[in-house]
Every structure is written in C-alpha cells, then in structure tokens.
Amino acid sequence: NAGVTQTPKFRILKIGQSMTLQCTQDMNHNYMYWYRQDPGMGLKLIYYSVGAGITDKGEVPNGYNVSRSTTEDFPLRLELAAPSQTSVYFCASSYYEVAGVQETQYFGPGTRLLVL
Amino acid sequence: KQEVTQIPAALSVPEGENLVLNCSFTDSAIYNLQWFRQDPGKGLTSLLLIQSSQREQTSGRLNASLDKSSGRSTLYIAASQPGDSATYLCAVSPGAGSYQLTFGKGTKLSVIP
C-alpha cells in the first residue's frame, strides 16, 4: 500500500491564482481530512469528509473548497490565493465505524505552498 | 474551546537519557489522546493512541500516560537515541469520529550523540 499520497510536493503561486492540491489514499478509509500547519504551530483542520459525497468545514475553511467524489480522492481547491495561505498542507485519512474502535489518522507527506 | 499545550517547546538531551514530554489540555471531556512524531519536511506518524478509559499505552521504548481528570498526558522515551530526534505532537479528540483533532504546537527533541 502507498498509504496517503499528495501532489505536488511544493508549489509557488502568485496572489490571485488558483490551484488544486491532490490527495489519494489506498487504504479504503472512509474519513479524510485536510490540515494546514504554519511554522511553529500545531495543525489546524480545514475540511473533512466522512465518506464519498459528504464534506464539512473544520476550524479554518475560508478560502478553500473540497469535494469527495470517490472514497480514494479528496482534493483541496484554493481560489484566489493570498499570502495568508502560505503554509504546509497535510492530507490524512482514517477508518471509523459506528460503535467500533477508533483508529488513528494516517498522514501524507505534505504540500508546501508559497504565495507571493 | 479545547486548547492543547506542550512543554517544553524544545528539548536537547544526550544519547541514552530517559526523557519525558508533557501535554496538557483544557477540556477533560476527550475521547482519546494521540502522540505523533514529525520528522523535518515529512508528515506525521502516529506513535500511540490512548482511549479515554485507558491510563497508559506502551510501544517499545515509548510509554504514554493519560490523566484525564487533570488534563495531562506524558510521553516517556527510554534510553533515547539520535534517531529519536524529531518533533513530537499530541492531539486530543472530543468525539468518536476523530475529525476534530486539536493539536499542540509540539516539542522539538534533539538527542545528541
């Protein structure tokens, strides 16, 4: 299994440009997440999904959009990039079933984004 | 709002020492607590997950304890090695779905050979 993969690894954007960060997992996990990590800070949840077709906002959703058309893929869209979106973005996935044992989240290697 | 604090922010120890990393949280109504390791430029790797009903979890040289009533957790690393150098993050979950993980800022550990 490749686990959680993210592309690209690094990207420079100009203010106002748009881009999509790709995330794919091959573990058949139902839950997927997007986090951002600013220097010296913990991770903050942007969006999450509990299954295909279902997404919801996390703590810092402004300026981002997501979709979940398949179990495997969970892309994050940045519209009108701003310098405040300069960060490292992590995608994660986990498996959960009601009344089951909660499992840990598995993280991708991250995408470093610089907005100038 | 849940807040997670990790002290110290950075720690440097000589190889072979035993060490303790601390994590505190403000709301004791948690479902579980997890410790993660993050290497520079890499993603997070889960080390230990403690359910709220448990007191501790062990994996090799690592032992994590949880005192939910006092809002504290510790990660004990025995016989530290240079390969243990990384940033260690703790995170708490308020509910069974885990989508609301709240992270601390981490403790950066350096083990000196």
Side-chain angles (χ1 to χ4, degrees):
Chain A
N1 286 348
V4 179
T5 57
Q6 293 182 238
T7 57
K9 291 184 179 180
F10 176 68
R11 181 77 181 268
I12 299 175
L13 279 183
K14 294 182 179 179
I15 295 172
Q17 287 185 322
S18 300
M19 75 166 293
T20 299
L21 283 66
Q22 302 291 344
C23 175
T24 300
Q25 54 93 7
D26 62 359
M27 297 174 282
N28 200 33
H29 286 168
N30 49 354
Y31 280 43
M32 295 188 75
Y33 319 80
W34 274 105
Y35 295 91
R36 61 176 287 172
Q37 184 179 35
D38 298 323
M41 304 293 288
L43 280 71
K44 293 189 182 297
L45 183 65
I46 305 171
Y47 271 95
Y48 66 94
S49 168
V50 301
I54 306 170
T55 63
D56 208 345
K57 297 177 181 178
E59 184 180 358
V60 289
N62 291 344
Y64 307 95
N65 278 299
V66 294
S67 60
R68 183 100 180 268
S69 58
T70 67
T71 299
E72 296 79 18
D73 300 307
F74 190 40
L76 177 71
R77 179 79 177 165
L78 278 71
E79 304 282 2
L80 299 175
S84 61
Q85 293 179 304
T86 293
S87 189
V88 180
Y89 292 84
F90 290 101
C91 178
S93 70
S94 67
Y95 182 74
Y96 175 71
E97 57 183 18
V98 176
V101 176
Q102 182 180 22
E103 297 184 3
T104 188
Q105 295 184 17
Y106 294 83
F107 283 76
T111 293
R112 186 175 300 272
L113 177 66
L114 180 60
V115 181
L116 299 175
Chain B
K1 179 184 175 183
Q2 178 74 269
E3 292 184 2
V4 178
T5 302
Q6 292 187 245
I7 295 173
L11 179 64
S12 183
V13 300
E15 181 178 1
E17 271 202 7
N18 303 325
L19 60 101
V20 175
L21 305 181
N22 297 294
C23 173
S24 62
F25 45 94
T26 55
D27 185 349
S28 62
I30 64 169
Y31 185 77
N32 64 36
L33 181 144
Q34 301 181 55
W35 283 93
F36 293 87
R37 169 183 173 140
Q38 185 176 26
D39 293 289
K42 302 289 181 62
L44 279 67
T45 301
S46 178
L47 297 173
L48 292 163
L49 184 154
I50 311 176
Q51 303 292 349
S52 61
S53 58
Q54 298 174 319
R55 297 284 291 181
E56 65 178 342
Q57 282 284 342
T58 298
S59 177
R61 295 182 293 108
L62 306 180
N63 176 276
S65 68
L66 174 63
D67 184 342
K68 204 174 78 163
S69 61
S70 68
R72 295 181 180 180
S73 175
T74 61
L75 178 67
Y76 175 83
I77 302 177
S80 59
Q81 303 171 357
D84 295 329
S85 298
T87 296
Y88 292 81
L89 297 134
C90 75
V92 298
S93 168
S98 87
Y99 50 83
Q100 291 175 322
L101 282 183
T102 300
F103 283 84
K105 295 180 181 180
T107 294
K108 185 176 182 179
L109 173 65
S110 298
V111 181
I112 311 301

